Amino acid sequence: MTSSCDHCDHCDHCGRAAEAGDHVGCLAARAMEPPRHRARRRRRMAVQVTPDGWSARCAEHGLLGG
């Protein structure tokens, strides 16, 4: 799984179940990209990348940043 969350069931990059494969490609992508899914509930987020970082908006949880 690509998230550091202990209780997350999904990959925060591809959104698939954490147990569905090793997610090596996801780990490589996450080194340079923000998360695209909420790892807890697999909800897709709207992500905005700026020169200063990134922000993501989840319809359920609101604005996240990194």
Side-chain angles (χ1 to χ4, degrees):
M1 181 164 41
T2 64
S3 174
S4 60
C5 178
D6 302 356
H7 48 276
C8 297
D9 299 325
H10 298 89
C11 173
D12 65 357
H13 183 74
C14 71
R16 293 186 321 205
E19 301 83 32
D22 58 9
H23 298 278
V24 172
C26 297
L27 287 170
R30 282 289 284 122
M32 299 293 292
E33 297 180 12
R36 303 293 177 175
H37 293 84
R38 290 287 302 201
R40 281 189 184 173
R41 303 230 172 123
R42 192 183 179 194
R43 184 178 290 272
R44 183 115 169 114
M45 297 186 293
V47 178
Q48 171 99 32
V49 178
T50 65
D52 297 330
W54 60 268
S55 64
R57 182 170 298 281
C58 173
E60 186 175 338
H61 298 102
L63 191 63
L64 306 169

